[in-house]
Amino acid sequence: MTDVSSREDDVVDAVVETLCAAAPSIRAGLPGRRVYEEGTNPSGERQMEADTYADELLLKRLRPLDGVGEYASEERPDVIDVGEGVSVALDPLDGSTNLKPNNVMGTLYSVYDEPLPTGGENLLAAGYILYGPVTTLVAARDGVVSEYILESGVKRPLREELTLPDDPAIFSFGGRVNRWFDEFEAFASETERTEGMKLRYGGSMIGDVNQILHYGGVFAYPAQTDAPKGKLRQQFEGFPIGYIIECAGGRSSDGETSLLSGTPEGIHDRVPVYIGNDSLVESLEARLD
Ligand code: FBP
């Protein structure tokens, strides 16, 4: 993990505070933006009005920040130069397909000390704001993960230095089962039949990963026979989730090695995502080997 200068520390603080302060406006803007727009995002997926609303609002709030040099988002094709300093990558509304059926979703952020696209090793901090029954922030940096409740954009500590529970209880597997590779299907079938393990899959990665952070277990959006790189974006989703889970004492993988050891060629590159308790991800990697 990258050594953070005190200047970068201050900038990361400012980025996180700005995202928290924007949360009430994003949440308030959702009810009237639950419809699809014309066109698609750079990954070819339909965009909700809420996706572009959140993207534009967060760019507007982060652009003036001193020490932020680049802004990139899953919803726009290119990296935007906004000055000198760190690079911020956002999934403005992860799980936005959950907006219509009124299920959880949220904003996923990652901060790097190199221009984008860049590798997971250049992460300074990562986290997410989860719009569930309450609004919470999970923030990771310097090897530590903390959880906060957000009230009117102000964060109040809930859990400091949280780590994955030792006894895993949850499995959460995405993608189409008939497109899973045999090795992953074997792992999934074994996990599903493991005493004490229960299924939780809600269609928002950060919602599902937050279950793993609370109860332990394994989440995967695996490689598919028709999509060997899976669905999730390396820079916007793979790296921040891998970083958070590794800071919480868990393990991340792209099927072979830590998600954080990867380097994307393009800002919208995809990667298979496997995260959770060390023992589970280790046995998964052994199966996929
Ligand atoms: P978005 O960032 O565009 O919402 O896409 C990512 C995501 O919604 C993840 O949060 C979730 O794990 C996955 O896609 C759900 O995919 P599927 O609908 O195939 O289960």
Side-chain angles (χ1 to χ4, degrees):
M1 295 196 184
T2 304
D3 292 336
V4 186
S5 71
S6 65
R7 171 84 182 109
E8 284 168 336
D9 240 358
D10 297 344
V11 177
V12 169
D13 281 340
V15 167
V16 175
E17 294 309 320
T18 301
L19 294 172
C20 292
S25 305
I26 291 185
R27 199 162 190 148
L30 298 177
R33 294 182 174 85
R34 302 168 66 234
V35 292
Y36 284 109
E37 293 193 331
E38 292 301 311
T40 61
N41 70 12
S43 302
E45 294 155 353
R46 299 182 67 190
Q47 289 173 307
M48 280 266 163
E49 283 186 358
D51 285 315
T52 46
Y53 163 75
D55 178 38
E56 280 151 17
L57 186 145
L58 294 170
L59 172 57
K60 190 165 153 229
R61 298 281 184 94
L62 290 167
R63 186 193 285 275
L65 281 186
D66 195 18
V68 174
E70 288 189 340
Y71 174 91
S73 140
E74 185 186 284
E75 303 303 335
R76 55 182 66 229
D78 305 313
V79 180
I80 302 198
D81 185 338
V82 293
E84 291 295 315
V86 302
S87 302
V88 178
L90 292 186
D91 183 351
L93 281 181
D94 175 66
S96 58
T97 53
N98 275 354
L99 184 52
K100 277 193 168 184
N102 196 25
N103 278 280
V104 302
M105 54 179 189
T107 299
L108 181 56
Y109 69 88
S110 45
V111 185
Y112 305 81
D113 65 355
E114 289 290 335
L116 300 172
T118 191
E121 68 204 12
N122 298 317
L123 269 162
L124 295 172
Y128 52 81
I129 294 173
L130 192 61
Y131 300 111
V134 296
T135 305
T136 53
L137 164 72
V138 166
R141 62 197 296 187
D142 303 334
V144 174
V145 182
S146 302
E147 186 178 28
Y148 307 83
I149 197 152
L150 287 187
E151 286 159 331
S152 309
V154 178
K155 61 186 206 305
R156 178 165 57 78
L158 273 178
R159 295 191 298 162
E160 306 278 353
E161 301 191 19
L162 63 88
T163 55
L164 263 66
D166 292 335
D167 296 328
I170 300 283
F171 61 89
S172 185
F173 303 142
R176 299 184 189 286
V177 176
N178 63 352
R179 305 277 170 76
W180 288 350
F181 286 96
D182 295 346
E183 297 78 8
F184 180 76
E185 187 156 4
F187 170 80
S189 159
E190 180 187 282
T191 308
E192 289 158 1
R193 286 166 182 71
T194 302
E195 191 53 39
M197 295 291 281
K198 287 188 292 192
L199 169 65
R200 289 286 183 277
Y201 187 78
S204 157
M205 175 182 63
I206 56 176
D208 294 327
V209 168
N210 210 47
Q211 297 254 13
I212 306 288
L213 271 179
H214 279 263
Y215 302 118
V218 57
F219 167 89
Y221 204 103
Q224 312 269 283
T225 51
D226 62 344
K229 291 287 185 189
K231 173 186 183 178
L232 303 175
R233 277 55 55 148
Q234 193 169 24
Q235 195 84 69
F236 301 111
E237 294 160 317
F239 289 154
I241 281 303
Y243 184 83
I244 294 163
I245 291 296
E246 291 192 16
C247 287
R251 185 173 178 146
S252 81
S253 179
D254 59 8
E256 288 173 24
T257 183
S258 165
L259 282 163
L260 302 183
S261 61
T263 300
E265 281 164 20
I267 197 79
H268 297 283
D269 286 4
R270 300 177 194 266
V271 68
V273 171
Y274 311 96
I275 60 97
N277 287 76
D278 192 81
S279 57
L280 286 169
V281 177
E282 187 178 15
S283 69
L284 170 57
E285 278 186 341
R287 280 230 185 235
L288 297 179
D289 194 8

